[in-house]
Amino acid sequence: MAPDTTDYSVGFEPADRLARDRDSVRRRFWIKFKQVVARIPFAADLLAAYYCAFDKETPRHVQVALLGALAYFILPFDFLPDVMPVLGFTDDAAVLATAIRMVASHITPDHRAAARAALARLEADEDVDLEQEGAASG
């Protein structure tokens, strides 16, 4: 049987490059998240992954996996454009779900609580800079 030489990273190069720049991911994540939060059913999971990725206690390999998924979320282009009704975020959700499944044991109740609190502040429409809070928590 021939060895599998398939390159599974094809199409993800921009996300890989972006994931190496933590500050850019952090900044661009909040910009996009605030724009689309009402349209994505996986907002709490996305935020929990964000808080886990920037937590100093999170192992490096977990941070890398989550930063790659977050980078894919914030990229301006997708396999399925985010502006498409219903289907637009399915590819983002699939990438995020895969990353979360790989590292689920590292996403703590504290990360999930921080995600719920941030969503509650957004829903209350408080004028809170969630980007700065995210930087302070991680």
Side-chain angles (χ1 to χ4, degrees):
M1 182 173 199
D4 183 9
T5 59
T6 305
D7 183 3
Y8 293 104
S9 67
V10 171
F12 290 94
E13 294 88 357
D16 290 340
R17 281 192 302 277
L18 181 59
R20 290 186 202 106
D21 183 0
R22 294 169 58 92
D23 290 333
S24 180
V25 170
R26 189 182 300 251
R27 184 179 58 258
R28 292 171 65 182
F29 172 84
W30 286 110
I31 292 168
K32 182 161 183 183
F33 186 81
K34 288 176 184 179
Q35 292 171 347
V36 301
V37 67
R39 295 185 287 158
I40 54 175
F42 56 94
D45 290 328
L46 180 60
L47 274 176
Y50 173 88
Y51 286 120
C52 182
F54 287 100
D55 184 343
K56 292 176 179 136
E57 300 298 316
T58 300
R60 196 76 172 146
H61 70 281
V62 173
Q63 290 178 335
V64 168
L66 292 174
L67 283 169
L70 294 172
Y72 184 79
F73 170 74
I74 63 176
L75 284 172
F77 61 88
D78 267 326
F79 290 122
L80 292 171
D82 294 340
V83 295
M84 292 177 61
V86 183
L87 296 176
F89 290 104
T90 55
D91 59 326
D92 299 286
V95 169
L96 182 64
T98 300
I100 288 174
R101 182 172 227 148
M102 289 171 36
V103 300
S105 64
H106 296 282
I107 298 177
T108 67
D110 288 342
H111 299 140
R112 294 197 183 281
R116 285 190 301 275
L119 282 173
R121 286 189 299 280
L122 277 175
E123 288 174 5
D125 198 30
E126 293 179 17
D127 192 21
V128 174
D129 190 349
L130 295 173
E131 179 180 352
Q132 290 303 316
E133 285 188 27
S137 72

